[in-house]
């Protein structure tokens, strides 16, 4: 049996909140065997640190693009007119968003 082969015991302490989180994650997986879950996570699990400056840039670009689109929409509703320059600015904004998205996807692909 597998348990008989395991002769080294590991112990660690957690707070009640940490235990609740562990149990929550176990429930998501549909497992009730904490030892098996912790062993599997310690051996096969990994932590991903997503410190991507590109993501911050993308959020900023999204905010600006949304703001520009809202201003353009408001102006069109008020005046009934739109200008090619406004559309060009909006297009450039969305091109920048696409570039930022490509950078993020490229960074995430390198994590595999």
């Amino acid at each position: 049996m597998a348990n008989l082969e395991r002769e080294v015991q590991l112990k660690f302490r957690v707070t009640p909140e940490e235990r609740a989180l562990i149990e929550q994650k176990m429930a998501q997986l549909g497992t009730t065997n904490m030892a098996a879950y912790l062993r599997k996570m310690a051996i096969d699990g990994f932590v991903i640190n997503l410190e991507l400056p590109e993501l911050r840039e993308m959020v900023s670009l999204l905010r600006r693009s949304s703001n520009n689109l809202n201003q353009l929409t408001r102006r069109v509703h008020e005046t009934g007119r739109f200008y090619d320059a406004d559309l060009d600015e909006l297009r450039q904004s969305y091109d920048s968003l696409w570039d930022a998205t490509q950078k993020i996807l490229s960074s995430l692909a390198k994590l595999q």
Side-chain angles (χ1 to χ4, degrees):
M1 275 213 145
N3 287 339
L4 297 177
E5 296 173 17
R6 294 188 179 109
E7 53 193 50
V8 176
Q9 186 178 34
L10 298 177
K11 295 181 182 183
F12 62 97
R13 296 181 183 272
V14 295
T15 65
E17 293 82 14
E18 290 169 332
R19 181 177 179 120
L21 285 172
I22 292 168
E23 289 171 348
Q24 224 175 23
K25 291 184 180 213
M26 287 173 56
Q28 289 174 351
L29 289 175
T31 186
T32 56
N33 186 334
M34 187 173 287
Y37 172 78
L38 293 174
R39 186 171 35 256
K40 184 73 173 161
M41 289 305 293
I43 294 170
D44 296 331
F46 56 93
V47 176
I48 298 175
N49 185 5
L50 289 178
E51 294 274 335
L52 296 174
E54 297 90 353
L55 193 55
R56 291 179 207 261
E57 176 190 352
M58 185 173 176
V59 169
S60 176
L61 288 169
L62 276 169
R63 285 187 183 132
R64 278 187 262 150
S65 295
S66 298
N67 189 32
N68 290 347
L69 181 60
N70 287 338
Q71 288 177 357
L72 179 60
T73 303
R74 191 176 308 126
R75 189 172 344 136
V76 169
H77 283 298
E78 289 173 359
T79 65
R81 297 181 179 167
F82 66 92
Y83 302 98
D84 289 339
D86 292 331
L87 292 178
D88 287 339
E89 184 179 334
L90 203 56
R91 193 173 299 120
Q92 288 174 356
S93 178
Y94 287 117
D95 287 344
S96 297
L97 271 172
W98 182 248
D99 290 342
T101 303
Q102 293 291 25
K103 284 181 188 176
I104 291 169
L105 291 175
S106 175
S107 295
L108 290 174
K110 291 177 186 175
L111 294 176
Q112 292 181 0

